[in-house]
Each structure stands twice: as structure tokens, then as C-alpha cells.
Amino acid sequence: MVTPSTPRLVVAAPSSGSGKTTVATGLMAAFAARGLAVSPHKVGPDYIDPGYHALATGRTGRNLDAYLCGPELVAPLFLHGARGCDIAVVEGVMGLYDGAAGEGELASTAQVAKLLGAPVVLVVDASAQSRSVAALVHGFVSWDPQVRIGGVILNKVGSARHEELLREALDSVGVPVLGALRRARPVETPSRHLGLVPVAERRALAVSAAAEMAELVSRGCDLPALEALARTAGAVPGGAAPWTPDLSPTHDDPPASAEGPRPRVAVAGGPAFTFSYAEHTELLTAAGAEVVIFDPLRDEELPEGTAGLVIGGGFPEVYAAELSANEPLRKAVAELALSGAPVAAECAGLLYLCRELDGSPMCGVLDATARMAQRLTLGYRDAVAVGDSVLAAAGARMRGHEFHRTVVEPGAGAAPAWGIRGRERRVEGFVQRGVHASYLHTHWASEPGVARRFVERCRTS
């Protein structure tokens, strides 16, 4: 049962690299080991950290993104994820007050903490300071009085004497020290060009890493005090109710069919396609679809009776040879797309539909090639649908996020998917037959009519 006063903590830091993923994941696992049902959340569009959160808690990791979904959906989506839980832990993004570029506090950890009415635990890298830590923490405490920093966890503490000096300095700030983690060999969480290696690619090692984080946090933190701090969170501000898959129409969508067969929607999964939001499959199911997960690395056929296909983000560039070697599935995807069936592809899905990726043959649905690039493309985008597609009517506006180190040439088809607004005005992506393919990651909870429209097209195509 969801209550609007679910105990909750936000784990934040002054900057990236301070150790908040280790602390947040370890805290989730440590609470779970104490018998608590823990709801895991991540601020921002990150797809990888929620995988580690899910390992730590045994529950689906969920994102809270005030840019993609709007501030008004942050609390409802949180309560939806916290259903049936005893406590929730929210891992922040970047530094506490860092948000969307040029947008003030929008999409920052601080904004999400305020929207949830949640106390913040500040993880501070103390490796190169002693008394100065007091000035740092004082600055973060006083910057925005509406953000309640309820405690500090000191990371990379060098010795007992170092910890003593840090605690003495922080006594003057009035913020309790809730943990001190000694400088040690980092928990093995390897990274590559887009961040941590996802859980699906290193399952056994990831389980060990989550257990190691739990041990580190349990040994160095005051878990009863952290749990007590979480319980000081009152009702979520604004009387928020849990989000449910509201399938309201988008723009001029036709009315939904009240009855009829449940079309089967195949959703790509496995190690090559790990980037997706849990709400997408929930929305597809609520819209009347039967969702079936398949693995393009291993399955040589689409699920029997597939009426529509969703291919989200991930790392096809890492698995290009294996994806290419699965020729039967590539042909099946091409045939489905040629038939006019709805196909929604984001980022990794876009690459998979191209003729080739770094010289390896892909599905050949799009007359385009993809390759790795030196430059990282990263940032939020405001987009408008250039024309009608299986996802949106012409003129529909959505917010999205780009995160890739690849290039598709050409970057847009004769019928582009999106027009990107703002300083960077351009078109991108491809719409042809029932295919909608784009680099843009979107969160369908912000426009649930997207899932409804897609499922309707699956029924009628």
C-alpha cells in the first residue's frame, strides 16, 4: 500500500565523483538486508545506475526526471515506485544544485528533494581536506534554505585522526555526520564511453559489487540514524497521489478501441539493449498490449505473433559483431518493418535499424550507416514531431535526452522524426511506413498518449 508519507532519503553530493552511487547503492542493499522493502530511485535520465539499484533491492529501479516528465510528475512517479515499500532511497545526479543547462534548478537533485519533501544526505569526498569541509558543507546547507540537508557521509577518509578532524570541523555547522567511509580500493564497477558497464553485461560481478557496497556502508555508516532521518519526511508536498498509466489521448488521436485482441508488442532486451524506463512497458500493457521481451543477441526470431516492435537504447556498438551474426533476426526485423507494422526505435534501436554499424551489417531498414565517433553528444532537447508517425501526431511536442558517442549518416530521412527547437535548430531521425527511429530518448509517462497511439496502430496495421 502506498502512503504519501513513505520514509525517504535523497543521497546527493557536491559534485560528480564524490561516491554517491556507491553510498546510495550500498545503503539500499544495507536497508534491504535489515528486512526493509526498499524503493530505489535515480534523479535524471540515467539508465545504468537503476540496474545496480535493482540488484541491491530486488525491485525495479526508477527514474525521477523533472525535465523529461515535468516537475508535477516527480512526486506521483515516486509514489508509484514506492508502492508496498518501507523506505525509499533516491540517488541524485551530478552536484546537488546542478540541473539542466541554463534552466536554473530544473532537473537538479535539489529540485527533486524539494518536490518530494525529502531530507538530503550529502556525500563529501574528504580525501584532500580537513577543516575546510565545514566551509563546503556550510555553503551547501545555506545556499537554498528549502533544501534540508539532514546529514553528511564522509567518503575517502584517510585515518582515524583524519576522521576526528573532519568531525570536529563539522560540529560548528550543526549537520550530523552519519557515516565515514575509509579510503580503500574502489568497488569494482568498470566504466566505458557512456558510464558504468550495465548490470546485464556483468551479472555475477555486479551482484558481488552490490554486496561489497552494502558491506562498506554497513561498516561505515550509522544505519539506524539514517533510517530515523528518512522517517522525518512528512507527507509528500501538494497532496500528490501515485501515478497510474493514464492513457489520455495526444492531440488528434482517434478514440481507443474499448475491446479487441491484445496485440503482441516485442520489446528488445538483453545485454545490448538495456536502456529503458519501466513505465514504458507499464503504459503499453495498460493500453492493451501483451508485452514480450526478447534478446536480439540470442533469439533468432521475433516472438510469435509480433504486431509491433520497440527497440530502446543500449550498447549495440559493443555487440555489433554478435548482432550482425544473428542474420535470421535481422531479416525478421526488416520484414516486420517492411510490412508497415509499428516500430519504435531510440538511439541503440536507431543504430540497429541502419544498413551497417562500424562496418557490420545491421537490419537495413533505414538507408543510413552508423559509426563510433570521438565526440560525446549529451543533453536535454525540446522536440516537435515533424509529421504524423506511430508515436505522435504532427506538431506534438515532447522533451527528450540525447546520450551517445556515435554518428548516423544521414542524420535524418526524407521524413524526419523530430525537429529540435531552441538554439540548436535541426531535424533528426526517420519516419517511414510504421517506423519511428531517432536518437532522442523520451519518457512516455510525460505523454501517455504515445503508448496508446502505438498500441492502436498495432491493432490496425
Side-chain angles (χ1 to χ4, degrees):
M1 178 180 178
V2 176
T3 66
S5 57
T6 302
R8 54 200 181 274
L9 290 173
V10 173
V11 177
S15 65
S16 295
S18 299
K20 62 180 177 291
T21 296
T22 296
V23 170
T25 307
L27 189 56
M28 293 172 189
F31 280 149
R34 291 165 67 90
L36 297 174
V38 184
S39 181
H41 303 264
K42 170 69 179 180
V43 177
D46 184 292
Y47 293 99
I48 299 174
D49 289 348
Y52 286 86
H53 297 169
L55 269 188
T57 64
R59 292 179 65 95
T60 301
R62 295 177 183 269
N63 297 71
L64 301 172
D65 196 311
Y67 190 95
L68 294 185
C69 295
E72 67 281 357
L73 269 184
V74 167
L77 285 170
F78 166 81
L79 290 171
H80 171 70
R83 192 181 304 274
C85 285
D86 301 311
I87 195 168
V89 177
V90 181
E91 180 187 342
V93 62
M94 301 185 292
L96 174 59
Y97 294 109
D98 300 325
E103 297 282 353
E105 74 170 6
L106 180 61
S108 67
T109 303
Q111 183 190 30
V112 169
K114 289 193 288 188
L115 291 168
L116 297 180
V120 173
V121 175
L122 195 68
V123 179
V124 176
D125 179 348
S127 59
Q129 58 185 319
S130 58
R131 188 165 179 264
S132 295
V133 74
L136 174 69
V137 173
H138 173 74
F140 274 81
V141 169
S142 60
W143 179 261
D144 185 346
Q146 292 182 301
V147 176
R148 178 163 67 99
I149 297 180
V152 173
I153 292 177
L154 300 167
N155 192 26
K156 300 182 183 178
V157 177
S159 65
R161 178 56 178 161
H162 187 203
E163 180 179 340
E164 181 182 353
L165 292 171
L166 293 166
R167 287 181 179 272
E168 286 177 358
L170 286 169
D171 280 344
S172 63
V173 182
V175 179
V177 176
L178 300 177
L181 309 183
R182 292 296 172 87
R183 188 182 304 143
R185 176 185 62 82
V187 176
E188 187 178 350
T189 50
S191 300
R192 56 172 177 241
H193 56 283
L194 295 183
L196 296 180
V197 175
V199 165
E201 298 185 45
R202 54 186 304 266
R203 187 82 189 182
L205 292 175
V207 169
S208 297
E212 193 174 342
M213 293 179 203
E215 171 62 22
L216 187 67
V217 169
S218 297
R219 188 170 61 245
C221 294
D222 187 341
L223 293 179
L226 285 160
E227 183 179 344
L229 177 62
R231 295 189 183 283
T232 66
V236 173
W243 174 83
T244 54
D246 172 21
L247 300 174
S248 55
T250 300
H251 298 276
D252 58 352
D253 284 354
S257 301
E259 299 179 356
R262 296 178 65 84
R264 178 166 288 184
V265 175
V267 175
F273 297 96
T274 55
F275 292 8
S276 64
Y277 295 121
E279 291 82 5
H280 287 197
T281 54
E282 292 170 350
L283 283 161
L284 288 168
T285 301
E290 177 193 358
V291 176
V292 181
I293 309 297
F294 73 104
D295 184 353
L297 288 177
R298 296 175 176 81
D299 296 325
E300 294 189 345
E301 298 178 348
L302 290 169
E304 185 179 355
T306 293
L309 175 62
V310 176
I311 317 173
F315 291 101
E317 61 269 30
V318 176
Y319 295 97
E322 293 94 326
L323 290 169
S324 184
N326 192 349
E327 187 175 357
L329 183 65
R330 290 193 290 111
K331 288 183 176 179
V333 170
E335 289 171 2
L336 184 74
L338 186 63
S339 74
V343 178
E346 285 187 351
C347 201
L350 165 67
L351 307 186
Y352 187 52
L353 295 186
C354 288
R355 285 199 315 272
E356 62 179 50
L357 170 56
D358 282 335
S360 296
M362 292 290 119
C363 296
V365 172
L366 306 174
D367 187 16
T369 60
R371 58 177 173 81
M372 287 292 292
Q374 294 298 315
R375 177 174 172 269
L376 175 65
T377 299
L378 170 67
Y380 287 116
R381 306 285 186 256
D382 284 347
V384 59
V386 176
D388 288 342
S389 74
V390 295
L391 292 186
R397 294 184 174 186
M398 289 196 74
R399 285 183 159 182
H401 186 260
E402 276 192 87
F403 187 38
H404 57 90
R405 203 185 290 272
T406 57
V407 173
V408 169
E409 297 169 331
W418 301 110
I420 306 299
R421 301 182 296 150
R423 291 186 305 169
E424 182 189 5
R425 291 186 176 273
R426 59 186 170 91
V427 294
E428 72 92 45
F430 301 78
V431 172
Q432 60 185 55
R433 297 188 178 89
V435 175
H436 184 286
S438 163
Y439 264 126
L440 206 64
H441 291 290
T442 58
H443 199 306
W444 291 2
S446 67
E447 279 288 350
V450 167
R452 175 181 176 276
R453 182 183 181 95
F454 185 83
V455 173
E456 283 301 301
R457 297 305 189 275
C458 291
R459 285 195 176 100
T460 59
S461 63

